[in-house]
Amino acid sequence: MEVSTARNDLRQHVTAVGTVHLALGDSAYELVATPAGDGRLSLSFHDDTNGDGTAPWRTVTTGVVERDQSVLVDFNRTVNLPFAFTAYGTCPAPIPGNRLGLPVTAGEKKVQ
């Protein structure tokens, strides 16, 4: 019998660069951000649509971080990562805690 185990050399490490604070509905959320290049941030997150109408998690790239540290998050630009299209895709999952406790119906949907 062959047993496969996870390989430590295949783990991906990402560097957090800050936290984005969001007020959505009646709730406040904090999402840990990673760099997306060109002064933008990447936010990988879970929400209440995951697994039903959307992939198990998705990501959105923000606008450029302004001088006052504010940033535009447009959930219409939320996309699926490659793992949503093939069983062979590997993508870093959101860090624990990057969860929005509401449905994000904007952006890319689950592949049918």
Side-chain angles (χ1 to χ4, degrees):
M1 173 167 48
E2 189 173 307
V3 178
S4 60
T5 58
R7 290 179 43 187
N8 286 333
D9 63 325
L10 295 179
R11 292 182 186 213
Q12 182 177 7
H13 297 276
V14 294
T15 301
V17 293
T19 303
V20 174
H21 302 269
L22 301 166
L24 301 171
D26 294 331
S27 299
Y29 300 95
E30 294 182 357
L31 298 177
V32 174
T34 56
D38 296 328
R40 300 172 191 277
L41 302 173
S42 179
L43 303 171
S44 292
F45 64 93
H46 295 283
D47 71 88
D48 289 350
T49 65
N50 296 150
D52 293 327
T54 63
W57 68 84
R58 298 180 293 160
T59 188
V60 63
T61 301
T62 70
V64 174
V65 178
E66 301 293 336
R67 287 180 179 238
D68 66 358
Q69 299 302 302
S70 66
V71 65
L72 175 66
V73 179
D74 183 353
F75 286 106
N76 291 307
R77 298 189 177 278
T78 301
V79 297
N80 291 321
L81 295 169
F83 81 98
F85 303 99
T86 175
Y88 303 104
T90 57
C91 301
I95 66 147
N98 268 23
R99 172 170 251 315
L100 301 174
L102 50 81
V104 177
T105 58
E108 199 165 25
K109 304 295 185 240
K110 186 176 183 178
V111 178
Q112 301 296 322

mmCIF file with all atom_site columns, all heavy atoms in Angstrom, residues 6-25:
data_model
loop_
_atom_site.group_PDB
_atom_site.id
_atom_site.type_symbol
_atom_site.label_atom_id
_atom_site.label_alt_id
_atom_site.label_comp_id
_atom_site.label_asym_id
_atom_site.label_entity_id
_atom_site.label_seq_id
_atom_site.pdbx_PDB_ins_code
_atom_site.Cartn_x
_atom_site.Cartn_y
_atom_site.Cartn_z
_atom_site.occupancy
_atom_site.B_iso_or_equiv
_atom_site.pdbx_formal_charge
_atom_site.auth_seq_id
_atom_site.auth_comp_id
_atom_site.auth_asym_id
_atom_site.auth_atom_id
_atom_site.pdbx_PDB_model_num
ATOM 1   N N   . ALA A 1 6  ? 2.029   15.005 2.912  1.00 0.00 ? 6  ALA A N   1
ATOM 2   C CA  . ALA A 1 6  ? 2.293   16.360 2.440  1.00 0.00 ? 6  ALA A CA  1
ATOM 3   C C   . ALA A 1 6  ? 3.790   16.614 2.411  1.00 0.00 ? 6  ALA A C   1
ATOM 4   O O   . ALA A 1 6  ? 4.532   16.151 3.275  1.00 0.00 ? 6  ALA A O   1
ATOM 5   C CB  . ALA A 1 6  ? 1.615   17.366 3.362  1.00 0.00 ? 6  ALA A CB  1
ATOM 6   N N   . ARG A 1 7  ? 4.220   17.330 1.395  1.00 0.00 ? 7  ARG A N   1
ATOM 7   C CA  . ARG A 1 7  ? 5.640   17.663 1.283  1.00 0.00 ? 7  ARG A CA  1
ATOM 8   C C   . ARG A 1 7  ? 5.854   19.087 1.761  1.00 0.00 ? 7  ARG A C   1
ATOM 9   O O   . ARG A 1 7  ? 5.226   20.020 1.268  1.00 0.00 ? 7  ARG A O   1
ATOM 10  C CB  . ARG A 1 7  ? 6.078   17.542 -0.174 1.00 0.00 ? 7  ARG A CB  1
ATOM 11  C CG  . ARG A 1 7  ? 6.113   16.120 -0.658 1.00 0.00 ? 7  ARG A CG  1
ATOM 12  C CD  . ARG A 1 7  ? 6.517   16.012 -2.091 1.00 0.00 ? 7  ARG A CD  1
ATOM 13  N NE  . ARG A 1 7  ? 7.623   16.877 -2.439 1.00 0.00 ? 7  ARG A NE  1
ATOM 14  C CZ  . ARG A 1 7  ? 8.049   17.044 -3.688 1.00 0.00 ? 7  ARG A CZ  1
ATOM 15  N NH1 . ARG A 1 7  ? 7.470   16.401 -4.678 1.00 0.00 ? 7  ARG A NH1 1
ATOM 16  N NH2 . ARG A 1 7  ? 9.055   17.854 -3.940 1.00 0.00 ? 7  ARG A NH2 1
ATOM 17  N N   . ASN A 1 8  ? 6.756   19.246 2.720  1.00 0.00 ? 8  ASN A N   1
ATOM 18  C CA  . ASN A 1 8  ? 7.042   20.576 3.246  1.00 0.00 ? 8  ASN A CA  1
ATOM 19  C C   . ASN A 1 8  ? 7.617   21.506 2.200  1.00 0.00 ? 8  ASN A C   1
ATOM 20  O O   . ASN A 1 8  ? 7.424   22.715 2.267  1.00 0.00 ? 8  ASN A O   1
ATOM 21  C CB  . ASN A 1 8  ? 7.991   20.484 4.441  1.00 0.00 ? 8  ASN A CB  1
ATOM 22  C CG  . ASN A 1 8  ? 7.294   19.968 5.671  1.00 0.00 ? 8  ASN A CG  1
ATOM 23  O OD1 . ASN A 1 8  ? 6.102   20.139 5.822  1.00 0.00 ? 8  ASN A OD1 1
ATOM 24  N ND2 . ASN A 1 8  ? 8.029   19.324 6.546  1.00 0.00 ? 8  ASN A ND2 1
ATOM 25  N N   . ASP A 1 9  ? 8.312   20.970 1.191  1.00 0.00 ? 9  ASP A N   1
ATOM 26  C CA  . ASP A 1 9  ? 8.915   21.828 0.184  1.00 0.00 ? 9  ASP A CA  1
ATOM 27  C C   . ASP A 1 9  ? 7.886   22.392 -0.793 1.00 0.00 ? 9  ASP A C   1
ATOM 28  O O   . ASP A 1 9  ? 8.203   23.250 -1.606 1.00 0.00 ? 9  ASP A O   1
ATOM 29  C CB  . ASP A 1 9  ? 10.023  21.088 -0.575 1.00 0.00 ? 9  ASP A CB  1
ATOM 30  C CG  . ASP A 1 9  ? 9.509   19.887 -1.356 1.00 0.00 ? 9  ASP A CG  1
ATOM 31  O OD1 . ASP A 1 9  ? 8.566   19.225 -0.874 1.00 0.00 ? 9  ASP A OD1 1
ATOM 32  O OD2 . ASP A 1 9  ? 10.051  19.616 -2.435 1.00 0.00 ? 9  ASP A OD2 1
ATOM 33  N N   . LEU A 1 10 ? 6.644   21.952 -0.711 1.00 0.00 ? 10 LEU A N   1
ATOM 34  C CA  . LEU A 1 10 ? 5.602   22.457 -1.600 1.00 0.00 ? 10 LEU A CA  1
ATOM 35  C C   . LEU A 1 10 ? 4.697   23.474 -0.912 1.00 0.00 ? 10 LEU A C   1
ATOM 36  O O   . LEU A 1 10 ? 3.766   23.973 -1.520 1.00 0.00 ? 10 LEU A O   1
ATOM 37  C CB  . LEU A 1 10 ? 4.757   21.301 -2.139 1.00 0.00 ? 10 LEU A CB  1
ATOM 38  C CG  . LEU A 1 10 ? 5.488   20.320 -3.041 1.00 0.00 ? 10 LEU A CG  1
ATOM 39  C CD1 . LEU A 1 10 ? 4.545   19.219 -3.489 1.00 0.00 ? 10 LEU A CD1 1
ATOM 40  C CD2 . LEU A 1 10 ? 6.090   21.020 -4.243 1.00 0.00 ? 10 LEU A CD2 1
ATOM 41  N N   . ARG A 1 11 ? 4.972   23.784 0.311  1.00 0.00 ? 11 ARG A N   1
ATOM 42  C CA  . ARG A 1 11 ? 4.160   24.767 1.015  1.00 0.00 ? 11 ARG A CA  1
ATOM 43  C C   . ARG A 1 11 ? 4.513   26.165 0.525  1.00 0.00 ? 11 ARG A C   1
ATOM 44  O O   . ARG A 1 11 ? 5.658   26.486 0.283  1.00 0.00 ? 11 ARG A O   1
ATOM 45  C CB  . ARG A 1 11 ? 4.391   24.674 2.513  1.00 0.00 ? 11 ARG A CB  1
ATOM 46  C CG  . ARG A 1 11 ? 3.855   23.392 3.074  1.00 0.00 ? 11 ARG A CG  1
ATOM 47  C CD  . ARG A 1 11 ? 4.053   23.343 4.549  1.00 0.00 ? 11 ARG A CD  1
ATOM 48  N NE  . ARG A 1 11 ? 3.647   22.034 5.018  1.00 0.00 ? 11 ARG A NE  1
ATOM 49  C CZ  . ARG A 1 11 ? 3.111   21.815 6.180  1.00 0.00 ? 11 ARG A CZ  1
ATOM 50  N NH1 . ARG A 1 11 ? 2.943   22.804 7.009  1.00 0.00 ? 11 ARG A NH1 1
ATOM 51  N NH2 . ARG A 1 11 ? 2.762   20.606 6.518  1.00 0.00 ? 11 ARG A NH2 1
ATOM 52  N N   . GLN A 1 12 ? 3.492   26.980 0.406  1.00 0.00 ? 12 GLN A N   1
ATOM 53  C CA  . GLN A 1 12 ? 3.703   28.349 -0.023 1.00 0.00 ? 12 GLN A CA  1
ATOM 54  C C   . GLN A 1 12 ? 3.541   29.276 1.166  1.00 0.00 ? 12 GLN A C   1
ATOM 55  O O   . GLN A 1 12 ? 2.610   29.144 1.953  1.00 0.00 ? 12 GLN A O   1
ATOM 56  C CB  . GLN A 1 12 ? 2.702   28.739 -1.107 1.00 0.00 ? 12 GLN A CB  1
ATOM 57  C CG  . GLN A 1 12 ? 2.909   30.139 -1.609 1.00 0.00 ? 12 GLN A CG  1
ATOM 58  C CD  . GLN A 1 12 ? 1.960   30.485 -2.736 1.00 0.00 ? 12 GLN A CD  1
ATOM 59  O OE1 . GLN A 1 12 ? 1.072   29.739 -3.068 1.00 0.00 ? 12 GLN A OE1 1
ATOM 60  N NE2 . GLN A 1 12 ? 2.159   31.631 -3.314 1.00 0.00 ? 12 GLN A NE2 1
ATOM 61  N N   . HIS A 1 13 ? 4.453   30.198 1.298  1.00 0.00 ? 13 HIS A N   1
ATOM 62  C CA  . HIS A 1 13 ? 4.383   31.184 2.361  1.00 0.00 ? 13 HIS A CA  1
ATOM 63  C C   . HIS A 1 13 ? 4.045   32.528 1.739  1.00 0.00 ? 13 HIS A C   1
ATOM 64  O O   . HIS A 1 13 ? 4.596   32.896 0.702  1.00 0.00 ? 13 HIS A O   1
ATOM 65  C CB  . HIS A 1 13 ? 5.711   31.276 3.118  1.00 0.00 ? 13 HIS A CB  1
ATOM 66  C CG  . HIS A 1 13 ? 6.070   30.012 3.817  1.00 0.00 ? 13 HIS A CG  1
ATOM 67  N ND1 . HIS A 1 13 ? 5.581   29.687 5.060  1.00 0.00 ? 13 HIS A ND1 1
ATOM 68  C CD2 . HIS A 1 13 ? 6.831   28.969 3.437  1.00 0.00 ? 13 HIS A CD2 1
ATOM 69  C CE1 . HIS A 1 13 ? 6.040   28.515 5.414  1.00 0.00 ? 13 HIS A CE1 1
ATOM 70  N NE2 . HIS A 1 13 ? 6.799   28.048 4.450  1.00 0.00 ? 13 HIS A NE2 1
ATOM 71  N N   . VAL A 1 14 ? 3.133   33.229 2.356  1.00 0.00 ? 14 VAL A N   1
ATOM 72  C CA  . VAL A 1 14 ? 2.779   34.561 1.887  1.00 0.00 ? 14 VAL A CA  1
ATOM 73  C C   . VAL A 1 14 ? 3.093   35.552 2.993  1.00 0.00 ? 14 VAL A C   1
ATOM 74  O O   . VAL A 1 14 ? 3.101   35.209 4.177  1.00 0.00 ? 14 VAL A O   1
ATOM 75  C CB  . VAL A 1 14 ? 1.298   34.657 1.478  1.00 0.00 ? 14 VAL A CB  1
ATOM 76  C CG1 . VAL A 1 14 ? 1.016   33.795 0.260  1.00 0.00 ? 14 VAL A CG1 1
ATOM 77  C CG2 . VAL A 1 14 ? 0.388   34.281 2.617  1.00 0.00 ? 14 VAL A CG2 1
ATOM 78  N N   . THR A 1 15 ? 3.348   36.761 2.606  1.00 0.00 ? 15 THR A N   1
ATOM 79  C CA  . THR A 1 15 ? 3.701   37.803 3.564  1.00 0.00 ? 15 THR A CA  1
ATOM 80  C C   . THR A 1 15 ? 2.541   38.773 3.713  1.00 0.00 ? 15 THR A C   1
ATOM 81  O O   . THR A 1 15 ? 2.115   39.394 2.735  1.00 0.00 ? 15 THR A O   1
ATOM 82  C CB  . THR A 1 15 ? 4.946   38.572 3.079  1.00 0.00 ? 15 THR A CB  1
ATOM 83  O OG1 . THR A 1 15 ? 6.016   37.645 2.922  1.00 0.00 ? 15 THR A OG1 1
ATOM 84  C CG2 . THR A 1 15 ? 5.336   39.648 4.068  1.00 0.00 ? 15 THR A CG2 1
ATOM 85  N N   . ALA A 1 16 ? 2.016   38.871 4.905  1.00 0.00 ? 16 ALA A N   1
ATOM 86  C CA  . ALA A 1 16 ? 0.958   39.836 5.182  1.00 0.00 ? 16 ALA A CA  1
ATOM 87  C C   . ALA A 1 16 ? 1.573   41.234 5.265  1.00 0.00 ? 16 ALA A C   1
ATOM 88  O O   . ALA A 1 16 ? 2.666   41.400 5.801  1.00 0.00 ? 16 ALA A O   1
ATOM 89  C CB  . ALA A 1 16 ? 0.259   39.488 6.486  1.00 0.00 ? 16 ALA A CB  1
ATOM 90  N N   . VAL A 1 17 ? 0.870   42.209 4.711  1.00 0.00 ? 17 VAL A N   1
ATOM 91  C CA  . VAL A 1 17 ? 1.377   43.581 4.738  1.00 0.00 ? 17 VAL A CA  1
ATOM 92  C C   . VAL A 1 17 ? 0.482   44.519 5.540  1.00 0.00 ? 17 VAL A C   1
ATOM 93  O O   . VAL A 1 17 ? 0.792   45.692 5.679  1.00 0.00 ? 17 VAL A O   1
ATOM 94  C CB  . VAL A 1 17 ? 1.568   44.138 3.311  1.00 0.00 ? 17 VAL A CB  1
ATOM 95  C CG1 . VAL A 1 17 ? 2.677   43.390 2.598  1.00 0.00 ? 17 VAL A CG1 1
ATOM 96  C CG2 . VAL A 1 17 ? 0.273   44.097 2.522  1.00 0.00 ? 17 VAL A CG2 1
ATOM 97  N N   . GLY A 1 18 ? -0.608  44.002 6.057  1.00 0.00 ? 18 GLY A N   1
ATOM 98  C CA  . GLY A 1 18 ? -1.488  44.849 6.848  1.00 0.00 ? 18 GLY A CA  1
ATOM 99  C C   . GLY A 1 18 ? -2.867  44.258 6.966  1.00 0.00 ? 18 GLY A C   1
ATOM 100 O O   . GLY A 1 18 ? -3.135  43.152 6.505  1.00 0.00 ? 18 GLY A O   1
ATOM 101 N N   . THR A 1 19 ? -3.748  45.026 7.573  1.00 0.00 ? 19 THR A N   1
ATOM 102 C CA  . THR A 1 19 ? -5.125  44.618 7.776  1.00 0.00 ? 19 THR A CA  1
ATOM 103 C C   . THR A 1 19 ? -6.049  45.671 7.186  1.00 0.00 ? 19 THR A C   1
ATOM 104 O O   . THR A 1 19 ? -5.839  46.865 7.389  1.00 0.00 ? 19 THR A O   1
ATOM 105 C CB  . THR A 1 19 ? -5.425  44.469 9.282  1.00 0.00 ? 19 THR A CB  1
ATOM 106 O OG1 . THR A 1 19 ? -4.497  43.528 9.836  1.00 0.00 ? 19 THR A OG1 1
ATOM 107 C CG2 . THR A 1 19 ? -6.832  43.973 9.530  1.00 0.00 ? 19 THR A CG2 1
ATOM 108 N N   . VAL A 1 20 ? -7.046  45.215 6.449  1.00 0.00 ? 20 VAL A N   1
ATOM 109 C CA  . VAL A 1 20 ? -8.055  46.114 5.896  1.00 0.00 ? 20 VAL A CA  1
ATOM 110 C C   . VAL A 1 20 ? -9.298  46.002 6.772  1.00 0.00 ? 20 VAL A C   1
ATOM 111 O O   . VAL A 1 20 ? -9.789  44.906 7.027  1.00 0.00 ? 20 VAL A O   1
ATOM 112 C CB  . VAL A 1 20 ? -8.379  45.747 4.430  1.00 0.00 ? 20 VAL A CB  1
ATOM 113 C CG1 . VAL A 1 20 ? -9.522  46.596 3.908  1.00 0.00 ? 20 VAL A CG1 1
ATOM 114 C CG2 . VAL A 1 20 ? -7.138  45.913 3.561  1.00 0.00 ? 20 VAL A CG2 1
ATOM 115 N N   . HIS A 1 21 ? -9.781  47.135 7.254  1.00 0.00 ? 21 HIS A N   1
ATOM 116 C CA  . HIS A 1 21 ? -10.962 47.197 8.101  1.00 0.00 ? 21 HIS A CA  1
ATOM 117 C C   . HIS A 1 21 ? -12.154 47.577 7.228  1.00 0.00 ? 21 HIS A C   1
ATOM 118 O O   . HIS A 1 21 ? -12.108 48.599 6.530  1.00 0.00 ? 21 HIS A O   1
ATOM 119 C CB  . HIS A 1 21 ? -10.773 48.231 9.217  1.00 0.00 ? 21 HIS A CB  1
ATOM 120 C CG  . HIS A 1 21 ? -9.583  47.933 10.075 1.00 0.00 ? 21 HIS A CG  1
ATOM 121 N ND1 . HIS A 1 21 ? -9.669  47.175 11.211 1.00 0.00 ? 21 HIS A ND1 1
ATOM 122 C CD2 . HIS A 1 21 ? -8.276  48.261 9.930  1.00 0.00 ? 21 HIS A CD2 1
ATOM 123 C CE1 . HIS A 1 21 ? -8.466  47.057 11.751 1.00 0.00 ? 21 HIS A CE1 1
ATOM 124 N NE2 . HIS A 1 21 ? -7.604  47.711 10.991 1.00 0.00 ? 21 HIS A NE2 1
ATOM 125 N N   . LEU A 1 22 ? -13.200 46.751 7.274  1.00 0.00 ? 22 LEU A N   1
ATOM 126 C CA  . LEU A 1 22 ? -14.383 46.972 6.448  1.00 0.00 ? 22 LEU A CA  1
ATOM 127 C C   . LEU A 1 22 ? -15.624 47.085 7.316  1.00 0.00 ? 22 LEU A C   1
ATOM 128 O O   . LEU A 1 22 ? -15.778 46.333 8.282  1.00 0.00 ? 22 LEU A O   1
ATOM 129 C CB  . LEU A 1 22 ? -14.595 45.789 5.491  1.00 0.00 ? 22 LEU A CB  1
ATOM 130 C CG  . LEU A 1 22 ? -13.478 45.460 4.524  1.00 0.00 ? 22 LEU A CG  1
ATOM 131 C CD1 . LEU A 1 22 ? -13.689 44.090 3.913  1.00 0.00 ? 22 LEU A CD1 1
ATOM 132 C CD2 . LEU A 1 22 ? -13.435 46.511 3.441  1.00 0.00 ? 22 LEU A CD2 1
ATOM 133 N N   . ALA A 1 23 ? -16.510 47.986 6.964  1.00 0.00 ? 23 ALA A N   1
ATOM 134 C CA  . ALA A 1 23 ? -17.832 48.066 7.579  1.00 0.00 ? 23 ALA A CA  1
ATOM 135 C C   . ALA A 1 23 ? -18.822 47.634 6.510  1.00 0.00 ? 23 ALA A C   1
ATOM 136 O O   . ALA A 1 23 ? -18.987 48.310 5.491  1.00 0.00 ? 23 ALA A O   1
ATOM 137 C CB  . ALA A 1 23 ? -18.119 49.482 8.042  1.00 0.00 ? 23 ALA A CB  1
ATOM 138 N N   . LEU A 1 24 ? -19.445 46.470 6.712  1.00 0.00 ? 24 LEU A N   1
ATOM 139 C CA  . LEU A 1 24 ? -20.403 45.928 5.755  1.00 0.00 ? 24 LEU A CA  1
ATOM 140 C C   . LEU A 1 24 ? -21.693 45.606 6.491  1.00 0.00 ? 24 LEU A C   1
ATOM 141 O O   . LEU A 1 24 ? -21.679 44.842 7.455  1.00 0.00 ? 24 LEU A O   1
ATOM 142 C CB  . LEU A 1 24 ? -19.852 44.665 5.090  1.00 0.00 ? 24 LEU A CB  1
ATOM 143 C CG  . LEU A 1 24 ? -18.543 44.820 4.319  1.00 0.00 ? 24 LEU A CG  1
ATOM 144 C CD1 . LEU A 1 24 ? -17.998 43.461 3.904  1.00 0.00 ? 24 LEU A CD1 1
ATOM 145 C CD2 . LEU A 1 24 ? -18.758 45.695 3.090  1.00 0.00 ? 24 LEU A CD2 1
ATOM 146 N N   . GLY A 1 25 ? -22.786 46.182 6.029  1.00 0.00 ? 25 GLY A N   1
ATOM 147 C CA  . GLY A 1 25 ? -24.039 45.992 6.748  1.00 0.00 ? 25 GLY A CA  1
ATOM 148 C C   . GLY A 1 25 ? -23.902 46.574 8.138  1.00 0.00 ? 25 GLY A C   1
ATOM 149 O O   . GLY A 1 25 ? -23.398 47.681 8.313  1.00 0.00 ? 25 GLY A O   1
#
